[in-house]
Amino acid sequence: QVQLVESGGGLVQAGGSLRLSCAASGRISSTYVMGWFRQVPGKEREFVAHIIWNGGNIKYADSVKGVFTISRDIAKNTVFLQMGSLEPEEAAVYYCAVRTINRASVDYWGQGTQVTVSS
């Protein structure tokens, strides 16, 4: 069992930055992929970025490439999402997620953290 707790969301002006954190507790497997998704009301949850826990391979959604950066601190079992140049359309609830490598479905979700971007 893995528990995920996100933090770092809040209100930011357009063009500003935020850093989200996701602290994981429990048994963290080397086969895990940790990532971020986001969701706005009425839309499906969409993939933002992920990082393979063992090895650090990274993937981004095309919409955030070059603007968002995902990283991890293995010692602290924490994954980060540095979000730069935020635009109002990127306001959403951001969720941390863990899945097993080579599997498509998410095994664990965090509770989500709200990101609001004012224009």
Side-chain angles (χ1 to χ4, degrees):
Q1 190 76 10
V2 174
Q3 294 78 42
L4 304 172
V5 179
E6 301 102 331
S7 60
L11 173 64
V12 63
Q13 288 188 333
S17 300
L18 277 178
R19 188 194 196 203
L20 305 183
S21 300
C22 173
S25 59
R27 182 179 175 274
I28 307 301
S29 169
S30 62
T31 62
Y32 279 164
V33 181
M34 294 188 70
W36 293 93
F37 290 73
R38 63 188 179 188
Q39 188 172 25
V40 297
K43 292 190 176 182
E44 292 187 357
R45 195 168 295 188
E46 66 171 359
F47 168 77
V48 175
H50 76 218
I51 185 166
I52 297 177
W53 196 248
N54 184 23
N57 297 59
I58 288 172
K59 180 179 179 180
Y60 294 102
D62 288 343
S63 59
V64 305
K65 283 181 182 177
V67 183
F68 289 10
T69 302
I70 190 170
S71 61
R72 76 198 191 295
D73 184 330
I74 293 176
K76 296 182 178 180
N77 280 353
T78 300
V79 64
F80 304 98
L81 185 68
Q82 179 68 45
M83 306 185 293
S85 300
L86 283 162
E87 297 298 329
E89 57 267 26
E90 293 177 306
V93 177
Y94 282 71
Y95 294 91
C96 181
V98 171
R99 64 173 174 85
T100 302
I101 197 167
N102 295 328
R103 293 184 186 176
S105 60
V106 170
D107 296 306
Y108 304 102
W109 290 99
Q111 82 286 355
T113 185
Q114 178 71 51
V115 171
T116 303
V117 184
S118 63
S119 57

